[in-house]
Amino acid sequence: MPKKNSPTSLNSMLGFSAVATAFVVAIAAGAFDDLFRVVLAGAITFVIVMGGLFVLNLVAKDDESEPGKPRLK
């Protein structure tokens, strides 16, 4: 598992998803009168953002270069 402060850690992905969800909920709260639609928009946003970050984390290529050495020769 990556370091806790890594951008690919679970805490970072949950935090980013929560911020994106809060942004969508704030907009949806002003746009919809129905609380169910606001909650639904937030839930869909959280699932899509978290799923997208998880998929990007899975397909990311590991960095195989050694620190301090140039990548190109």
XYZ file of all heavy atoms in Angstrom:
535
model
N 0.841 -1.180 0.000
C 0.000 0.000 0.000
C 0.884 1.242 0.000
O 1.892 1.292 0.680
C -0.886 -0.045 1.236
C -2.007 0.935 1.218
S -3.310 0.352 0.137
C -4.292 1.786 0.026
N 0.499 2.272 -0.742
C 1.283 3.497 -0.795
C 1.314 4.218 0.559
O 0.558 3.904 1.469
C 0.554 4.344 -1.827
C -0.310 3.421 -2.565
C -0.597 2.279 -1.658
N 2.224 5.184 0.662
C 2.305 5.989 1.881
C 0.981 6.693 2.126
O 0.201 6.930 1.216
C 3.402 7.033 1.738
C 4.766 6.473 1.558
C 5.735 7.625 1.359
C 7.055 7.113 0.877
N 7.948 8.185 0.497
N 0.754 7.088 3.381
C -0.512 7.737 3.714
C -0.692 9.085 3.032
O -1.782 9.479 2.716
C -0.640 7.899 5.226
C -0.977 6.614 5.919
C -1.464 6.893 7.308
C -1.875 5.600 7.942
N -3.229 5.566 8.331
N 0.392 9.802 2.785
C 0.262 11.121 2.158
C 0.384 11.056 0.640
O 0.422 12.068 -0.016
C 1.294 12.084 2.740
C 2.723 11.611 2.534
O 2.964 10.551 1.968
N 3.664 12.395 3.008
N 0.425 9.862 0.098
C 0.518 9.680 -1.350
C -0.812 10.046 -2.011
O -1.873 9.818 -1.432
C 0.861 8.217 -1.648
O 0.720 7.944 -3.011
N -0.771 10.604 -3.218
C -2.029 10.930 -3.904
C -2.861 9.694 -4.252
O -4.029 9.809 -4.540
C -1.582 11.642 -5.179
C -0.163 11.958 -5.006
C 0.389 11.084 -3.942
N -2.236 8.520 -4.232
C -2.976 7.303 -4.577
C -3.450 6.531 -3.355
O -3.963 5.427 -3.492
C -2.104 6.381 -5.441
O -0.925 6.053 -4.724
C -1.755 7.033 -6.760
N -3.295 7.086 -2.157
C -3.748 6.388 -0.966
C -5.273 6.447 -0.871
O -5.935 7.307 -1.467
C -3.117 6.994 0.287
O -3.667 8.267 0.547
N -5.817 5.528 -0.124
C -7.268 5.452 0.037
C -7.810 6.706 0.713
O -8.872 7.215 0.330
C -7.646 4.205 0.843
C -9.124 3.926 1.003
C -9.766 3.718 -0.360
C -9.347 2.738 1.890
N -7.075 7.236 1.686
C -7.514 8.462 2.358
C -7.580 9.640 1.397
O -8.511 10.455 1.463
C -6.578 8.794 3.522
C -6.752 7.853 4.685
O -7.790 7.211 4.833
N -5.733 7.754 5.509
N -6.618 9.744 0.519
C -6.621 10.835 -0.457
C -7.781 10.695 -1.438
O -8.432 11.683 -1.788
C -5.308 10.860 -1.232
O -4.241 11.134 -0.376
N -8.028 9.457 -1.887
C -9.139 9.239 -2.822
C -10.484 9.515 -2.155
O -11.373 10.109 -2.771
C -9.085 7.812 -3.370
C -7.905 7.575 -4.275
S -7.922 6.034 -5.205
C -8.034 4.802 -3.955
N -10.645 9.104 -0.895
C -11.887 9.390 -0.174
C -12.067 10.891 0.038
O -13.182 11.413 -0.093
C -11.896 8.667 1.170
C -12.172 7.175 1.141
C -11.962 6.573 2.520
C -13.573 6.896 0.645
N -10.983 11.575 0.353
C -11.066 13.027 0.547
C -11.441 13.754 -0.724
O -12.299 14.646 -0.718
N -10.812 13.379 -1.843
C -11.147 14.008 -3.117
C -12.596 13.714 -3.506
O -13.312 14.598 -3.982
C -10.195 13.524 -4.210
C -10.391 14.213 -5.516
C -9.931 15.495 -5.706
C -11.058 13.585 -6.553
C -10.123 16.145 -6.916
C -11.257 14.223 -7.758
C -10.786 15.514 -7.941
N -13.044 12.481 -3.278
C -14.432 12.120 -3.592
C -15.404 12.905 -2.717
O -16.461 13.336 -3.182
C -14.644 10.622 -3.395
O -13.868 9.883 -4.290
N -15.052 13.094 -1.463
C -15.920 13.845 -0.550
C -16.015 15.320 -0.972
O -17.099 15.913 -0.922
C -15.400 13.741 0.872
N -14.897 15.900 -1.392
C -14.914 17.300 -1.836
C -15.751 17.445 -3.108
O -16.560 18.377 -3.233
C -13.475 17.817 -2.048
C -13.467 19.158 -2.762
C -12.750 17.911 -0.730
N -15.577 16.516 -4.056
C -16.365 16.562 -5.288
C -17.849 16.384 -4.989
O -18.703 17.055 -5.571
C -15.888 15.489 -6.260
N -18.159 15.481 -4.065
C -19.551 15.245 -3.688
C -20.148 16.475 -3.021
O -21.299 16.843 -3.306
C -19.643 14.024 -2.763
O -19.115 12.886 -3.445
C -21.069 13.751 -2.342
N -19.396 17.114 -2.131
C -19.897 18.319 -1.466
C -20.175 19.427 -2.485
O -21.177 20.149 -2.369
C -18.883 18.796 -0.428
N -19.316 19.561 -3.488
C -19.516 20.559 -4.526
C -20.808 20.286 -5.307
O -21.624 21.183 -5.534
C -18.303 20.555 -5.464
C -18.379 21.562 -6.571
C -18.210 22.911 -6.312
C -18.618 21.167 -7.873
C -18.273 23.846 -7.326
C -18.691 22.089 -8.898
C -18.514 23.431 -8.619
N -21.016 19.024 -5.691
C -22.219 18.667 -6.449
C -23.470 18.826 -5.587
O -24.504 19.307 -6.064
C -22.095 17.232 -7.004
C -23.421 16.725 -7.535
C -21.032 17.190 -8.082
N -23.388 18.446 -4.318
C -24.542 18.575 -3.423
C -24.897 20.043 -3.224
O -26.086 20.398 -3.179
C -24.270 17.853 -2.084
C -25.272 18.260 -1.024
C -24.296 16.346 -2.285
N -23.898 20.910 -3.120
C -24.181 22.338 -2.959
C -24.902 22.895 -4.182
O -25.847 23.680 -4.058
C -22.881 23.098 -2.717
N -24.473 22.480 -5.363
C -25.147 22.935 -6.578
C -26.535 22.320 -6.695
O -27.506 23.004 -7.038
C -24.286 22.615 -7.817
C -23.022 23.459 -7.795
C -25.067 22.834 -9.105
C -22.024 23.110 -8.864
N -26.643 21.027 -6.398
C -27.932 20.338 -6.510
C -28.936 20.872 -5.491
O -30.138 20.922 -5.765
C -27.740 18.833 -6.334
N -28.462 21.272 -4.322
C -29.372 21.803 -3.299
C -30.021 23.104 -3.775
O -31.177 23.383 -3.448
C -28.621 22.036 -1.996
N -29.291 23.870 -4.545
C -29.859 25.098 -5.085
C -30.739 24.865 -6.295
O -31.619 25.664 -6.603
N -30.516 23.746 -6.978
C -31.244 23.489 -8.209
C -32.523 22.684 -7.988
O -33.503 22.873 -8.704
C -30.351 22.750 -9.200
N -32.499 21.775 -7.019
C -33.652 20.892 -6.801
C -34.358 21.234 -5.496
O -33.730 21.591 -4.504
C -33.205 19.421 -6.734
C -32.506 18.929 -7.970
C -31.309 18.240 -7.871
C -33.034 19.134 -9.235
C -30.655 17.767 -8.992
C -32.389 18.673 -10.364
C -31.200 17.987 -10.243
N -35.678 21.090 -5.509
C -36.452 21.265 -4.282
C -36.587 19.950 -3.525
O -36.862 19.950 -2.337
C -37.848 21.804 -4.608
C -37.793 23.229 -5.134
O -36.835 23.937 -4.783
O -38.695 23.613 -5.901
N -36.408 18.844 -4.216
C -36.584 17.518 -3.638
C -35.272 17.047 -2.999
O -34.232 16.986 -3.656
C -37.021 16.550 -4.743
C -37.403 15.183 -4.224
O -37.586 15.046 -2.997
O -37.523 14.259 -5.045
N -35.313 16.694 -1.711
C -34.121 16.234 -1.004
C -33.608 14.914 -1.566
O -32.401 14.675 -1.599
C -34.418 16.094 0.491
C -33.258 15.644 1.375
C -32.130 16.669 1.322
C -33.718 15.415 2.796
N -34.505 14.064 -2.039
C -34.090 12.777 -2.606
C -33.196 12.968 -3.825
O -32.209 12.261 -3.991
C -35.324 11.941 -2.976
C -34.968 10.630 -3.632
C -34.442 9.593 -2.889
C -35.142 10.459 -4.998
C -34.094 8.394 -3.490
C -34.804 9.274 -5.612
C -34.279 8.235 -4.851
N -33.517 13.929 -4.666
C -32.695 14.191 -5.854
C -31.311 14.709 -5.475
O -30.315 14.373 -6.109
C -33.374 15.196 -6.768
C -34.536 14.632 -7.514
C -35.089 15.644 -8.472
N -36.220 15.099 -9.195
C -36.835 15.728 -10.167
N -36.427 16.928 -10.538
N -37.851 15.163 -10.776
N -31.235 15.505 -4.428
C -29.951 16.032 -3.963
C -29.093 14.885 -3.436
O -27.908 14.776 -3.769
C -30.158 17.108 -2.882
C -28.837 17.543 -2.284
C -30.919 18.297 -3.444
N -29.673 14.017 -2.630
C -28.941 12.871 -2.089
C -28.536 11.923 -3.213
O -27.417 11.397 -3.222
C -29.787 12.143 -1.020
C -29.130 10.851 -0.596
C -30.012 13.051 0.179
N -29.412 11.711 -4.154
C -29.103 10.835 -5.286
C -27.956 11.397 -6.123
O -27.048 10.666 -6.515
C -30.348 10.644 -6.155
C -30.220 9.675 -7.318
C -29.961 8.271 -6.801
C -31.484 9.702 -8.158
N -27.967 12.687 -6.369
C -26.881 13.315 -7.127
C -25.556 13.185 -6.378
O -24.513 12.901 -6.976
C -27.193 14.785 -7.386
N -25.591 13.358 -5.075
C -24.378 13.207 -4.271
C -23.869 11.779 -4.269
O -22.669 11.532 -4.389
N -24.765 10.815 -4.130
C -24.369 9.408 -4.104
C -23.781 8.979 -5.444
O -22.753 8.289 -5.490
C -25.562 8.539 -3.739
N -24.418 9.384 -6.519
C -23.914 9.038 -7.852
C -22.538 9.668 -8.074
O -21.626 9.016 -8.592
C -24.916 9.466 -8.940
C -26.160 8.573 -8.877
C -24.288 9.426 -10.316
C -27.291 9.034 -9.764
N -22.375 10.914 -7.661
C -21.083 11.584 -7.818
C -19.999 10.873 -7.024
O -18.901 10.636 -7.531
C -21.183 13.048 -7.362
O -22.165 13.704 -8.142
C -19.849 13.764 -7.489
N -20.293 10.516 -5.783
C -19.299 9.847 -4.947
C -18.870 8.516 -5.566
O -17.676 8.218 -5.653
C -19.842 9.623 -3.542
C -18.827 9.024 -2.611
C -17.877 9.825 -2.015
C -18.813 7.669 -2.363
C -16.920 9.285 -1.164
C -17.861 7.117 -1.522
C -16.926 7.919 -0.915
N -19.835 7.734 -6.027
C -19.517 6.421 -6.602
C -18.705 6.564 -7.888
O -17.714 5.850 -8.095
C -20.811 5.618 -6.848
C -20.541 4.380 -7.675
C -21.458 5.239 -5.525
N -19.083 7.488 -8.750
C -18.381 7.653 -10.017
C -16.958 8.175 -9.795
O -16.000 7.666 -10.388
C -19.169 8.577 -10.962
C -20.403 7.839 -11.465
C -18.305 9.047 -12.126
C -21.327 8.674 -12.306
N -16.785 9.165 -8.928
C -15.449 9.715 -8.682
C -14.567 8.678 -7.990
O -13.418 8.461 -8.382
C -15.530 11.015 -7.852
C -14.151 11.468 -7.396
C -16.205 12.109 -8.648
N -15.097 7.989 -6.985
C -14.310 6.975 -6.289
C -13.957 5.826 -7.227
O -12.823 5.338 -7.216
C -15.096 6.466 -5.071
C -14.289 5.666 -4.127
S -13.000 6.672 -3.380
C -12.108 5.401 -2.542
N -14.907 5.395 -8.037
C -14.634 4.328 -8.995
C -13.612 4.743 -10.035
O -12.723 3.963 -10.386
N -13.703 5.962 -10.519
C -12.744 6.454 -11.496
C -11.339 6.537 -10.930
O -10.366 6.141 -11.582
N -11.210 7.035 -9.718
C -9.892 7.098 -9.090
C -9.338 5.708 -8.819
O -8.135 5.466 -8.968
C -9.968 7.899 -7.787
C -10.204 9.393 -7.944
C -10.430 10.039 -6.581
C -9.045 10.044 -8.653
N -10.198 4.780 -8.440
C -9.756 3.407 -8.188
C -9.249 2.755 -9.479
O -8.210 2.111 -9.483
C -10.902 2.596 -7.580
C -10.508 1.202 -7.213
C -9.684 0.966 -6.132
C -10.957 0.125 -7.953
C -9.302 -0.318 -5.793
C -10.585 -1.164 -7.633
C -9.758 -1.395 -6.540
N -9.984 2.957 -10.572
C -9.560 2.385 -11.854
C -8.250 3.013 -12.313
O -7.343 2.316 -12.779
C -10.669 2.554 -12.922
C -10.154 2.256 -14.313
C -11.852 1.668 -12.590
N -8.109 4.323 -12.180
C -6.852 4.980 -12.552
C -5.695 4.480 -11.690
O -4.570 4.342 -12.166
C -6.986 6.495 -12.414
C -7.817 7.181 -13.492
C -8.000 8.653 -13.138
C -7.164 7.034 -14.838
N -5.964 4.207 -10.430
C -4.929 3.679 -9.544
C -4.530 2.265 -9.964
O -3.361 1.893 -9.862
C -5.428 3.685 -8.102
C -4.324 3.510 -7.105
O -3.160 3.665 -7.434
N -4.686 3.197 -5.875
N -5.469 1.481 -10.442
C -5.167 0.111 -10.868
C -4.339 0.078 -12.153
O -3.450 -0.761 -12.292
C -6.454 -0.680 -11.096
C -7.174 -1.181 -9.858
C -8.454 -1.899 -10.262
C -6.296 -2.093 -9.034
N -4.629 0.950 -13.094
C -3.946 0.909 -14.380
C -2.662 1.738 -14.407
O -1.961 1.738 -15.412
C -4.874 1.356 -15.539
C -6.069 0.454 -15.641
C -5.279 2.795 -15.397
N -2.343 2.427 -13.309
C -1.129 3.239 -13.262
C 0.097 2.340 -13.298
O 0.146 1.291 -12.665
C -1.113 4.095 -12.005
N 1.087 2.773 -14.059
C 2.323 2.024 -14.201
C 3.271 2.407 -13.053
O 3.421 3.584 -12.732
C 2.951 2.365 -15.541
C 4.090 1.507 -15.938
C 4.529 1.878 -17.342
C 5.635 0.990 -17.810
N 6.083 1.364 -19.137
N 3.896 1.409 -12.445
C 4.831 1.683 -11.369
C 6.079 2.359 -11.911
O 6.531 2.077 -13.015
C 5.234 0.387 -10.664
C 4.104 -0.204 -9.840
O 3.226 0.582 -9.431
O 4.109 -1.417 -9.613
N 6.653 3.242 -11.118
C 7.879 3.938 -11.490
C 9.060 3.034 -11.159
O 9.323 2.737 -9.998
C 7.977 5.256 -10.731
C 9.098 6.119 -11.226
O 9.602 5.861 -12.335
O 9.463 7.064 -10.506
N 9.766 2.598 -12.184
C 10.857 1.650 -11.995
C 12.226 2.320 -11.978
O 13.242 1.635 -11.909
C 10.806 0.587 -13.092
C 9.535 -0.221 -13.053
C 9.373 -1.126 -14.258
O 10.225 -1.075 -15.163
O 8.388 -1.866 -14.291
N 12.277 3.625 -12.056
C 13.572 4.306 -12.054
C 14.072 4.465 -10.622
O 13.294 4.576 -9.677
C 13.467 5.666 -12.726
O 12.635 6.516 -11.973
N 15.394 4.485 -10.491
C 15.991 4.652 -9.177
C 16.087 6.132 -8.846
O 16.420 6.942 -9.717
C 17.376 4.022 -9.163
C 17.354 2.522 -9.361
C 18.753 1.936 -9.378
O 19.671 2.548 -8.817
O 18.905 0.859 -9.972
N 15.844 6.506 -7.604
C 15.952 7.925 -7.234
C 17.381 8.423 -7.391
O 18.338 7.736 -7.069
C 15.524 7.943 -5.775
C 14.874 6.649 -5.508
C 15.380 5.679 -6.520
N 17.528 9.598 -7.925
C 18.847 10.192 -8.097
C 19.529 9.859 -9.397
O 20.556 10.439 -9.712
N 19.007 8.907 -10.160
C 19.600 8.560 -11.449
C 18.735 9.130 -12.568
O 17.510 9.067 -12.480
C 19.681 7.041 -11.602
C 20.727 6.388 -10.708
C 20.856 4.918 -10.990
C 21.701 4.699 -12.208
N 21.906 3.268 -12.490
N 19.342 9.666 -13.594
C 18.539 10.184 -14.700
C 17.830 9.050 -15.447
O 18.329 7.940 -15.526
C 19.563 10.872 -15.590
C 20.889 10.346 -15.186
C 20.764 9.869 -13.781
N 16.651 9.346 -15.961
C 15.884 8.334 -16.693
C 16.470 8.082 -18.078
O 16.414 6.989 -18.587
C 14.437 8.774 -16.829
C 13.710 8.785 -15.522
C 12.298 9.268 -15.732
N 11.631 9.405 -14.450
C 10.510 8.806 -14.165
N 9.905 8.072 -15.042
N 9.963 8.973 -12.982
N 16.981 9.122 -18.700
C 17.557 9.002 -20.033
C 19.064 8.881 -19.931
O 19.696 9.486 -19.071
C 17.189 10.214 -20.880
C 15.701 10.442 -21.083
C 15.487 11.738 -21.851
C 15.082 9.284 -21.825
N 19.649 8.109 -20.827
C 21.114 7.921 -20.801
C 21.783 8.795 -21.826
O 21.256 9.175 -22.794
C 21.443 6.467 -21.062
C 20.920 5.609 -19.948
C 21.319 4.169 -20.135
C 20.741 3.386 -18.957
N 21.209 2.103 -18.818
